[in-house]
Amino acid sequence: MTDPVTTPAVPRRTAVRGGLVITATEELRADVLIEGERIAALAATGSEAALSWTADTVIDAAGHYVIPGGVDVHTHMELPFGGTHASDTFETGTRAAAWGGTTTIVDFAVQPVGGSLREGLDAWHAKADGNCAIDYAFHTIVSDVTDAVLKEMDTLVDSGESTSFKLFMAYPGVFYSDDGRILRAMQRAAANGGMIMMHAENGIAIDVLVEQALAAGRTAPRHHGEVRRELLEAEATHRAIRLAQVAGSPLYVVHVSAASALAELARARDDGHPVFGETCPQYLFLSTDDLAEEGDDGFEGAKYVCSTPLRPREHQAALWRGLRTNDLQVVSTDHCPFCYTGQKELGRGDFSKIPNGLPGVENRMDLLHQAVVDGHLSRRRWIELACTTPARMFGLHPRKGTLAPGADADVVVYDPTAVQTVAAATHHMNVDYSAYEGRTLTGRARTVLSRGTVVLDHGTWLGRPGHGTFLRRDTCQYLG
Amino acid sequence: MTDPVTTPAVPRRTAVRGGLVITATEELRADVLIEGERIAALAATGSEAALSWTADTVIDAAGHYVIPGGVDVHTHMELPFGGTHASDTFETGTRAAAWGGTTTIVDFAVQPVGGSLREGLDAWHAKADGNCAIDYAFHTIVSDVTDAVLKEMDTLVDSGESTSFKLFMAYPGVFYSDDGRILRAMQRAAANGGMIMMHAENGIAIDVLVEQALAAGRTAPRHHGEVRRELLEAEATHRAIRLAQVAGSPLYVVHVSAASALAELARARDDGHPVFGETCPQYLFLSTDDLAEEGDDGFEGAKYVCSTPLRPREHQAALWRGLRTNDLQVVSTDHCPFCYTGQKELGRGDFSKIPNGLPGVENRMDLLHQAVVDGHLSRRRWIELACTTPARMFGLHPRKGTLAPGADADVVVYDPTAVQTVAAATHHMNVDYSAYEGRTLTGRARTVLSRGTVVLDHGTWLGRPGHGTFLRRDTCQYLG
Amino acid sequence: MTDPVTTPAVPRRTAVRGGLVITATEELRADVLIEGERIAALAATGSEAALSWTADTVIDAAGHYVIPGGVDVHTHMELPFGGTHASDTFETGTRAAAWGGTTTIVDFAVQPVGGSLREGLDAWHAKADGNCAIDYAFHTIVSDVTDAVLKEMDTLVDSGESTSFKLFMAYPGVFYSDDGRILRAMQRAAANGGMIMMHAENGIAIDVLVEQALAAGRTAPRHHGEVRRELLEAEATHRAIRLAQVAGSPLYVVHVSAASALAELARARDDGHPVFGETCPQYLFLSTDDLAEEGDDGFEGAKYVCSTPLRPREHQAALWRGLRTNDLQVVSTDHCPFCYTGQKELGRGDFSKIPNGLPGVENRMDLLHQAVVDGHLSRRRWIELACTTPARMFGLHPRKGTLAPGADADVVVYDPTAVQTVAAATHHMNVDYSAYEGRTLTGRARTVLSRGTVVLDHGTWLGRPGHGTFLRRDTCQYLG
Amino acid sequence: MTDPVTTPAVPRRTAVRGGLVITATEELRADVLIEGERIAALAATGSEAALSWTADTVIDAAGHYVIPGGVDVHTHMELPFGGTHASDTFETGTRAAAWGGTTTIVDFAVQPVGGSLREGLDAWHAKADGNCAIDYAFHTIVSDVTDAVLKEMDTLVDSGESTSFKLFMAYPGVFYSDDGRILRAMQRAAANGGMIMMHAENGIAIDVLVEQALAAGRTAPRHHGEVRRELLEAEATHRAIRLAQVAGSPLYVVHVSAASALAELARARDDGHPVFGETCPQYLFLSTDDLAEEGDDGFEGAKYVCSTPLRPREHQAALWRGLRTNDLQVVSTDHCPFCYTGQKELGRGDFSKIPNGLPGVENRMDLLHQAVVDGHLSRRRWIELACTTPARMFGLHPRKGTLAPGADADVVVYDPTAVQTVAAATHHMNVDYSAYEGRTLTGRARTVLSRGTVVLDHGTWLGRPGHGTFLRRDTCQYLG
Ligand SMILES: [Zn+2]
Ligand SMILES: [Zn+2]
Ligand SMILES: [Zn+2]
Ligand SMILES: [Zn+2]
Ligand SMILES: [Zn+2]
Ligand SMILES: [Zn+2]
Ligand SMILES: [Zn+2]
Ligand SMILES: [Zn+2]
C-alpha cells in the first residue's frame, strides 16, 4: 500500500493501479477504482479515464496480479466433533483466511438433532457475529428432516439467510439422513430454489467395515482410509444424483476425492443434470502416502485423517482433469482443524476416534496458484475455481467473486513471484501442525482489501474482528 | 443514439449509459466509456466515477442490454462452390452482419489445389479489403497438404495472419484430405500452436451413397439429408479426434449437427482432450422437415441444403443440451448464401448439384436471444457462445468478444423486447429467401458500434464499406 | 406318446425319436435314450447306434422340438404377502408349470424376522414336500442378517439345501435390509461361494413417494407404477453392484424391468464383474398401458401390479436387446398369483394395499417361444435363457437345464406349430385371471417328462403330487 | 489308442471311453461312439447304452478330456508377402495344426488386384488340395472391390465356397480398400448373408508415421510397434463398426490387440450391433517387451513383428477380460510364419521390410489350456473360444466345433496334466524359431482324430497329406 494520503475507517476512494487484473474470463491491464466499500470502476491503465481519477489512497500493483478475494464455501470454525471442537474460532479462522487471500467464507450452521434450523443458525451467529475479519455466510446442516424443518428451509431461502442445505449420507447416528429424508429435503429445494449439498459416502456400509477393522486390530490412522472405500464414495455420489433427479433438485457434492465418484458426476453432467462437484486442496496435493505416515510415534498419519479420506496418488490426475473439464467446478478447503496434540490423539489405538478434518483455509489460494505455476490450471481457471464459481454457485455473486463495477471491493494484490515455505510455525491458523509443512510455494497475497478496507499489507495485519459482516445470499446462478 | 454533440469520424469519447452490461460471466448495471476505438472504462451506473465522465457522445441504454458485438467465426462470403459463388460479397455480407449485431467475422481463404496458402489469402484479401463494414479475419482452408504448405502454416501462425486451418473429410476431389494429410497438418499445428478445424463427414462413403441414390432416382433435395448419414458424421468426428490425439493437436469440429457426433466430442472432452465443437442456428431451429418441404415447385427443400445436413427434429434437444453442458462451445453461422432462383436451382433433378449453404449471418444473435427467451440458454451463456468463446477460441480476445477496459469498442445496445418478423423482403443479406421466413423473434440490436463508431442506430445504417479492418490473431486461449 | 408297450411307474427305457433336439448351443437330428430317471444317450437319428436301442416306450417326436424341461428360478407358491397369500399351492403351481413345459422351479423360503433361515426352510419344506408334480429347490430370503444367520448361510451352501440368498432393498419393515446388512451377507457369500440375489429398488425413497401419492389422492393401480420410479430401480441396481464389488461377491438382480437398471448391469459386466440379471415375461410383453387399464370397475390395472412395476412400452426393446447381448441371462416368472376377486381387491382405494404379483409359471416357455417366432430370439437362445442358464446359475446343472447323457430326463416334446389362446378359463394356475388373456401364441408343450416319467401328453395330465423331489444344489457355474 | 482290433482306412466304429467330455456348455462323464466319419452317439459312461456298444476300435480316455478338435479360422499358409512367402505349406502347416489339437483351419484366398475372387480361390485350391492333413476352408481376401467382384460374392455365399470376405484398412497399395469400397462390400454382405472380416488399422495414417520414423533413423523392430499406434487401431475399429451400421452388415474384426479397440467393440455390442472380435495368443502372452528384444544381433525383436502389433503388457488383462465377458468371441492364430534367417532378416535396417507374421497354429490349444490352468478361462470357455464359436461364426457348425451326434468325428483326447516345453527344435511348424521358446505349458493333445481317423496318437504321427477335405460353409449362426 503506497502513499496513504489519509486513512479513514473506510477510505472514500482507493485506486489500485498498474496491475494485471485477472478474472474468470479476462486478463486486463487495468486500474481499479474503489468508492467506499464497492468497486466503482475499472479503466484501462494509462487511459484518460484512469488518469482522471482522484483517490484518497493509491495502491501500486505494478508487477502484481489484481484478483478478486478468494471465496471459500466450505469451512468449519469451532465445529463440535467427536467430543472436541475445531480449533479455529471465527476470529482466528477468518484472520488466517485473509492472510491467505480469502475474503469470504461460508461456514455450516448445524441443526441440533431434535431442534430447528433456527437454533443452529442462532448458535452459529453467536459464534461468528462480531468476531470475523472478513465477510461470512452460512449453509445449514440439516440433521433431522421434519415437516417443520422443511418449512424452515423455505423461510431461509426467502430471507437469504441460508440458501443451501447440507445433508450427510455418512455418520449414522450423528448427521446421517436416510434416503427418504434426503428425498424430502431435495423435493423442498426443488420447490424453493435452494441448493442441496451432499457428503456422499455410504456411511452405513462404512460403519460395518470400521467395526470389522477395529475387531481385527487394524486401528492405525491409515485404516481410516482403507475402510472408507472409494467404491462407497462413488456409490453414494451416484445415489445422490439419482435422488436429485427424482426430486428435480440441483445437487452439489462436497469434497469429491475419488476418480470413480468424479466419473459419476461427469456422466450426469453429460446428460445435462444440474449436478456440481467440489474438491479440496488436500485431495489434489496429498494422498494415502501421507495417511500412512508413521513419524516418531507411529501416529503421524492422524494429521491427515479427514472424510472423504485421502486417496491413492493416482486419483490426483483425475481430479486435476476434472477441474480442467469443468466436471468439478469449485475448490474449497473443508477447513476443520484439530491439533495433533490433545485432539487428533483422541484416536490413538482407534482410528475411528480421530477427529476428522484438516486445516487449510489459509493455504488454498496459494496452493492453487502453485497449480498454475505447475501447469495444471490457467490463471483464469484459478480465479474461476477459487473465487467466481463459488460465489455464483451460492448466490454471493455479483457482490463477491469478481472484480467488476458494483461488486464489493474484496481485492487482492497478489505477488506471483513471492516464494514461501509453508509451516505451522509461521501460519496464522490456530492449529499445531500444517498439512503442507515444508512445502515451497510460489505466489502470495501482498495486499488484501475487504469491502474497501486494507486488512493485510506487506505482511502486516491491519484487520480487526468484527469488520466482517454476515452475508445474505441469493440462489445458485447455474440453474435454469 | 441520443444527443450527438459532435460527430467526428471516430468520436473521441462516447459514453453508453444506463444499460445492463452482460458479458460471459457478469450482469452489471454499468456505464461504458469509449475513448477512440477502445473501451476505456466501465463504471457502476450512478457512481461518482461514472458521473464524472465527460463525453462527446452519450448513448442512452436504459432498458436495454449492453453487450459485446457478435463474433461469427464461420462465414463464406463470395465462396466459389459448384460452379457458382455465394451471393453475399464482403460488402453486403458484413453490412448484414452488423445489422444483426455481429461486429467481427472470420471467413475462410481457400488454398487453390496445387497452389499455396499465400495465394488463397491474397485472393481473399483482394475480395475483402476496403469492402467490409466491420472487422474481419481469415481462417485458411488447406486443400492440398504439401511440405511447402506445412511451412506456410508456421509462417501464418507466427505473423497472426491466419492461426487456424480448416481441413475436409468430405468433398473428395475438391477440398478432401486423406487421413495421412490430415495427420501431417495436425502434427504441424501441434508444433506451431495453430488450431485445426474439421469438416467431419466421411465423404468417401457418402459419395457412394450419393451415386446409389441418384442411380435409383432419389434426386430430390431431401435425399441430400438421407445420404449424408448421421453415422458418417459421428464416424468422421471420432476419426478426427483420434488423429488429433495421435498428433497431439487441438481440434475444432465445425457445424456439428448430429447427436451422435456430439457424443463423440463429449466423450473426448471427458477424457481431457482439447477438442471443441461448434453448431449453427440452422441445426438448432431447422430440421429434415424443412429439407423435405416441397413448396409450389417440389423443390423448396433446396433452400435448406447444407452440409452437414439438417437432421431430424430430435437432434435439436441434444444440441441445446450440448450448448448448456459446454460440450459445444460456439455458435457460428456457416453463412454461405445461394439464391433460390438461379443458384439452388442448379440442382433440380440432382440434389448433389444444389450449392451447399444457407444464409444466416444477420440472424444469429437474434435467434440465440430467442433461445434465451425460450429458456434454452441463460443471457450470459448467449454472450459466451456468440461473442466471447469464439473470440477466445480463435485468438481475437481480448480485443473482441467482451466488454472490458482495453477491448475494441465493438458494442451493441440490444433491445430485449423488440419484436421482429424475419423475412427476405426486409433482411439485408444479398439472397432471395430467408431460412427463417415468417418467424417472429423477440430482441434486436438497436445501436451497433464498431471500434467506437456507430454503424447502425435505430434502424438507420451509418456504416461504410472499408471501415472494417483485417485482424491478425493470436492462438487459441483454451490450450495449456 | 406312441406305443407304450408297458407302463411301469418309471419306464426303464424310453426312446424319444425323430425330433429336432435343441440345446443352448446345438440343434441336432437326434434320438434321446432314457434309462430310468436319467438320459443315457443321444444318438444321431437313423444311426446304427440309435437304431440298435431297445426301449420299453418310444415317443415319436417327428416334426417337434425335443428340449430340456424349463427351469423357472423365481416362483412364490403360497407366499404370505400383505395379509393374504399367493393363490397357487405347490401342488397347483407345479402342475401348472409342467403344463407349460417347466419341469423345475426354485421357490423362496422366507426367514421370519427374528427367526432363523432354518425355520423358513422348514416351513417351506412343509408346504412343498409330497405336493409337487415336478422337482423343486429353494432359495432363502434373508429378512434379518444376524451373526447366527451368517453362520447358517455357510451350512446351507455346504449341504446344498440353499446356495442362494435373496435380499431386499425395498419393503422397509418387511423384507428390507439396510446396506450394512447387505454388505455383511455379501461378504459371507463371497467367502462361502453362495449367490446373492437382489430385489433392487430404493424402498426407503419409494415409501416417501407412496405416502405423498396417497395423501394427494393418487390411489389407483397405475400410481403404483408411477411412484416406483425407474430411477430408483437404476439407483438400487447400481448400489447393489458397488456393494458386491466391495464384498467381492457375485450378484444376481431379480426382475430387471427398467432400461436404465439394465444399463448399470451392462456397465458392470463390461468391467468384468460377476453381475447377472433376470427379467420376466411381464416386462417383455406388458407395460404401464396395462397397469393403467380401468376396465368395468376402474380397477382392472390391479391385475398388473407387481414390483418392480411394469414400465412404459419403450423399455421392452431394451430388455429384448439385453437378452440378446447377454447383459440379461435369465428369464424367470416371479410367479406370485393373487386372485382379482378378494385378493387384488384389498387395494381398492389404496394401490399400496394391492398384493404385488402376477401369475405366469405356466406361460413362460410359450411366451418365449413366441419371441422366437417374432424374431426377438433364436431357438437356442430361448433354451439358454429358459433352461440352461438358470440351471447353471443356481447349481442345478448338469442335472437340469440341458439334454445330455447323465442329465435328469426332464424332456419336453414341443410342438412349434400348435396355436393356443391364453385364457384364465383354460389355464391350470389357481388364479381367476390371466395377465395375457386372449393373446394368441404359436407353440406348446405336447409331451412332458419329469425324471423319465411322462407327466403330460397330448393334453392329458398324467403326473401326480409328490412325484417332484427336492433338489440340493451346487454353486453358480459362472464364477471363477 | 488302445486295442486296435482292426485298422481299416476309416474304422467303421470307434468308441472313446471313460473321458471327461467338454463342450462349450457341458462337462460330462460320457463315452463317444463314432460311426465312419461322424459321431453317432454320446452315452453316459457305464450306462447300459454305452456298455452295449460294439466297436472296432476303443480309445481309452480315462483321466483325459475328450474335446472337439480345434478350429483355427485365421491362418496364412504359403502367403506371398513382402517379396517372400509364409514358410509353412498347407502340408506342413496342417500337420503342425493337428499336432496341436487343431483339426480345421480356415485360410485366406487372396484376390489378385485387377483379378477376380475366382482366381484367388483357384490359386489357393491349387496349393491346398491333396496336401492337407486336416479339413480346411477358405475366406476370401477382397483386394479390389468392383461390380464384378460384388457379384462373385453372391455366388460364393450361395455355393458355400467362401461365405466370409476380408477387407483391409491397412496396407495401402497392397490389400487396402478405401471406405467407399468397404461400404460397397458391406452392403453386399448385408444382402447375401456373408460375413465381413476386417483388418482394422488406419494404414494411411500409419504409413505417414512409418515414413517419419525411417527418416528419423528409427529403424529397429520395436519401432514397428511404435508407429502402429493403438489409437489408430481403435480408430479403424470404430470406423469399421460405423460403416457396417450404415450398410446393415455384420462385422468380424480380426486380431484385436488394443484395449481401446476392444472398448469400441464392447460399446457397439452393448448397443446390440452384430459386431464380433477375435484375438490371438500372441496378444495374450506376448508384448512390446518381446518386440524390443535385441538378442545377439540387435534384431531379435523381428521375430515378434506382426500387424496389428504386440502391445504393452497392460493390454493383456483387458483382452483376457474381453474373452470372459464375450466382447471377444474367438481366439485364432493369424498363423503366418517367416523364418528368422533369410526372411525376417529382409527388414534389417528398415523395420517396414520385415515380413509381418508369427507362427502359432500348433500352440493355440495348449496356450489356451494354460490359460485355464492359470485361471483366466474356464474349461468350457476354452472350448467355446477355440472350437465352437469359430465354427458357428463361420458356418462350419454343426459339422465342426462340437461333440454331438451327427458332427464330424474330429475328436481330441487331451491330457490335462502333460507338461511340455515349447521349442523350435521340437515343434512341427516349418519355421526356425518359436515365439514361445522355452515356455512350459501344462496340457497336450494325446490322441487326435480327424473325421474318424486317428492322425496322432501318443506322439506318433499317423496322418497323411490329402486326408483333409475342403469344407463348404454356411453363413454365421449369430445373426438374426
Ligand atoms: Zn465439511
Ligand atoms: Zn463444412
Ligand atoms: Zn462431459
Ligand atoms: Zn463452412
Ligand atoms: Zn419375487
Ligand atoms: Zn491382418
Ligand atoms: Zn457389454
Ligand atoms: Zn491375417
Side-chain angles (χ1 to χ4, degrees), chain B residues 7-14 34-37 56 451-453 467:
Chain B
T7 313
V10 179
R12 228 185 53 74
R13 301 194 100 205
T14 302
I34 298 165
E35 296 182 358
E37 300 196 335
D56 309 303
R451 294 198 332 281
T453 298
H467 167 78

Side-chain angles (χ1 to χ4, degrees), chain B residues 7 16 31 64 79 90-91 99 130 292 294 298 302 305 308 343 346 356-357 371 387 398 403 407 421 436 441:
Chain B
T7 313
V16 182
D31 296 358
H64 289 64
L79 179 75
F90 277 87
E91 179 178 341
W99 272 94
E294 306 216 330
V305 165
T308 55
Q343 293 193 301
L346 294 169
N356 280 212
C387 310
L403 294 179
T421 301
Y436 308 99
L441 302 179

